[in-house]
């Protein structure tokens, strides 16, 4: 059967920004219950304009680290995890993430915890991290759907759309290029100002 001819305009080009969602859960990976947080993240990131893979559902601990390293090697701009950030003996996502990160970004998880604290005091128990590994931004979100929604509220405020203003900061190389352009533009504007207007 021949597929129908497209009736609209040119097909929309895929986003150049790629995201991976990883769910850390022993029980979800074993099929005991369905993953709920991962699909929420994937849907939200798609709505922000990212091309999204996953959620990949893996057991807690070392499989999380393996999924993160594979995602970094694959060149994803963003990896968002859910699950394994609490204080139970099997919650090891922060430790797995820290082994992968080159640099931590404390402000992101602090903002996510603050968002949750406005609703439930136990949000303070989340140990999620965020940071950069090579050219990939990695963010840990809690495993509960409420915690995921709090995290997405914070991230969505920063990534209203993966455009030059927001996603330029997603990875170190893009952020550095954006900062370089801003500094170069400032220098040009200062050079072109009349001498009387220049700073003393």
């Amino acid at each position: 059967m021949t597929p129908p001819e497209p009736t609209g305009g040119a097909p929309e080009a895929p986003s150049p920004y790629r995201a991976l969602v990883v769910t850390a859960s022993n029980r979800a990976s074993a099929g005991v219950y369905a993953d709920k947080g991962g699909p929420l993240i994937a849907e939200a990131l798609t709505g922000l304009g990212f091309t999204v893979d996953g959620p990949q559902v893996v057991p807690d601990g070392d499989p999380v680290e393996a999924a993160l390293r594979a995602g970094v090697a694959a060149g994803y701009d963003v990896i968002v995890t859910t699950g394994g950030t609490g204080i139970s003996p099997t919650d090891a996502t922060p430790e797995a993430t820290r082994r992968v990160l080159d640099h931590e970004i404390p402000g992101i998880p602090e903002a996510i915890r603050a968002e949750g604290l406005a609703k439930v005091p136990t949000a303070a128990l989340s140990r999620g991290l965020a940071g950069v590994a090579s050219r990939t931004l990695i963010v840990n979100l809690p495993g509960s759907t409420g915690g995921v929604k709090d995290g997405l509220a914070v991230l969505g405020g920063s990534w209203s759309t993966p455009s030059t203003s927001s996603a330029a900061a997603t990875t170190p190389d893009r952020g550095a290029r954006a900062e370089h352009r801003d500094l170069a533009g400032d220098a040009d504007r200062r050079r072109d100002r009349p001498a009387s207007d220049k700073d003393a």
Side-chain angles (χ1 to χ4, degrees):
M1 179 178 177
T2 304
E5 293 292 329
T7 56
E12 185 175 335
S15 170
Y17 298 96
R18 300 169 60 229
L20 173 66
V21 180
V22 177
T23 297
S25 171
N26 287 333
R27 288 181 288 178
S29 65
V32 175
Y33 58 65
D35 171 28
K36 295 182 179 179
L40 284 178
I41 298 170
E43 181 181 4
L45 293 178
T46 299
L48 291 171
F50 288 90
T51 297
V52 181
D53 289 330
Q56 294 181 5
V57 184
V58 300
D60 291 294
D62 291 342
V64 177
E65 179 179 352
L68 293 178
R69 291 193 183 279
V72 171
Y76 285 97
D77 297 290
V78 178
I79 301 176
V80 181
T81 73
T82 174
T85 63
I87 57 175
S88 76
T90 60
D91 288 333
T93 296
E95 288 74 20
T97 302
R98 184 173 280 118
R99 291 193 293 269
V100 177
L101 294 178
D102 297 321
H103 308 287
E104 291 189 33
I105 308 175
I108 294 176
E110 288 169 3
I112 293 170
R113 281 187 283 271
E115 180 77 16
L117 276 171
K119 305 175 183 68
V120 289
T122 53
L125 299 178
S126 175
R127 302 184 301 113
L129 302 178
V132 174
S134 185
R135 298 179 178 181
T136 302
L137 176 65
I138 301 175
V139 181
N140 298 154
L141 298 187
S144 67
T145 55
V148 165
K149 291 175 181 178
D150 291 337
L152 292 173
V154 171
L155 297 180
S158 301
W159 304 335
S160 57
T161 177
S163 61
T164 54
S165 61
S166 57
T170 296
T171 56
D173 58 334
R174 288 174 181 162
R177 288 198 296 267
E179 182 179 3
H180 174 76
R181 288 195 297 270
D182 291 343
L183 292 175
D186 288 343
D188 290 341
R189 286 190 292 273
R190 289 174 62 86
R191 186 179 61 248
D192 294 339
R193 287 163 55 190
S196 60
D197 291 342
K198 293 183 178 177
D199 297 334

